[in-house]
Amino acid sequence: MALSEKTSRQSLIPSFLYSSSLSHKTLPLDNIIPPPNLNTLFSQPSSPSSNVFVPAPSEPSKKIEMYSPQFYAACTVGGILSCGLTHMAVTPLDLVKCNMQIDPAKYKSISSGFGVLLKDQGVRGFFRGWVPTLLGYSAQGACKFGFYEFFKKYYSDIAGPEYASKYKTLIYLAGSASAEVIADIALCPFEAVKVRVQTQPGFARGLSDGLPKFVKSEGVLGLYKGLVPLWGRQIPYTMMKFASFEAIVENIYKYAIPTPKDQCSKSLQLGVSFAGGYVAGIFCAIVSHPADNLVSFLNNAKGATVGDAVKKLGLWGLFTRGLPLRIVMIGTLTGAQWGIYDAFKVFVGLPTTGGITPAAVTAATEVAKV
């Protein structure tokens, strides 16, 4: 009985699946599909085109080449994030600062300024003007950081490796000043509307209704009335911001950290970026503060001139009014900006800023090309 069941089961299964002797007659597929060659199957592919294996998603993608169009695009995006987000976050501090500059009799100090603002405008008043702040400083950040990296490389190439290394601070100053001239043209219209919205309650709710009102009142050119004072504030600020940051970071790696920068962890490098940015921000606030008072005064008062501002505020007032708050604000702001900017660069596979002289960067680029 067992034997008959076995025979019956085998009869239902094709004989070539259990037959001990396979032949071309019983397995005609061999003529169509040849048996695999084990040596070929497990051998290394002779060319990249013959590789049939799909890379895993975790495999690192191609890195961005330094000073390529992709590099400058990444720096531009990093600048948008670093400046736009940080300036929007400190909108309440900026509001109090602007009002202290415009109406010191009412906004006598930082603490009382917040109290007056809360009483007059409520909690929502602390973020009045956040839209022109976000858009304006995003545009400024894009130009500031993107063009700084461009001009730093451009001036280094003009100077050559030897002079670029010898006069690196001048290159930082020239590159940042050139970038800021362009960046402020992008920022100026938004800054004019922002100051008017923040210092004149009832003028407008924000950018959408404030911009048409401003243009109707003072014309399109009125948006650029504060451009020269803005240059006077931002160009020294940016020159100090970039040159002092580069010098501070270089000295931190040279004297405070025994390990070479390329051997430090990314978290340590980003910590150095934040610390260098914060210290640089303190110097920035002091250097640019008189012009900051002028910008706030001119954008608030219709038809006002620089002479009117100096006469009303006085020289001492130009240099000191609202300065302590601005030091806190700009120090934190600049530290956060460098932290975010370098964090984005690390995210896309680029090195953090600073710690390498222009000559070294140029030499490294030439070696990579060879």
Side-chain angles (χ1 to χ4, degrees), residues 78 82-83 86 144-145 148-149 152 176 237-246 249 269-281 284 330-346 352-354:
S82 67
C83 290
T86 51
K144 186 198 297 273
F145 282 91
Y148 171 69
E149 298 286 1
K152 184 170 70 169
S176 56
Y237 166 88
T238 302
M239 292 170 72
M240 181 66 73
K241 173 179 180 175
F242 283 89
S244 61
F245 173 82
E246 298 268 12
V249 168
Q269 292 183 36
L270 293 176
V272 170
S273 296
F274 177 80
Y278 197 97
V279 176
C284 293
I330 297 300
T332 306
L333 198 71
T334 308
Q337 284 176 356
W338 279 113
I340 293 172
Y341 178 66
D342 276 348
F344 182 79
K345 288 176 73 175
V346 168
T352 58
T353 310

Side-chain angles (χ1 to χ4, degrees), residues 40-55:
T40 306
L41 181 62
F42 293 103
S43 64
Q44 191 70 18
S46 58
S47 66
S49 61
S50 63
N51 188 357
V52 298
F53 296 101
V54 179

Side-chain angles (χ1 to χ4, degrees), residues 238-281:
T238 302
M239 292 170 72
M240 181 66 73
K241 173 179 180 175
F242 283 89
S244 61
F245 173 82
E246 298 268 12
I248 291 165
V249 168
E250 184 177 345
N251 281 283
I252 289 176
Y253 284 116
K254 188 181 292 185
Y255 300 110
I257 300 177
T259 309
K261 178 187 173 183
D262 57 357
Q263 298 179 18
C264 295
S265 65
K266 295 302 181 184
S267 59
L268 177 58
Q269 292 183 36
L270 293 176
V272 170
S273 296
F274 177 80
Y278 197 97
V279 176

Side-chain angles (χ1 to χ4, degrees), residues 5-21:
E5 285 183 9
K6 183 177 180 182
T7 306
S8 132
R9 288 178 184 173
Q10 288 184 349
S11 65
L12 295 176
I13 302 174
S15 61
F16 67 81
L17 292 180
Y18 58 85
S19 175
S20 59
S21 60

Side-chain angles (χ1 to χ4, degrees), residues 207-225:
L207 181 67
S208 58
D209 57 338
L211 181 61
K213 272 190 176 182
F214 196 105
V215 172
K216 184 177 180 180
S217 173
E218 302 193 28
V220 175
L221 293 179
L223 293 169
Y224 289 92
K225 180 178 65 174

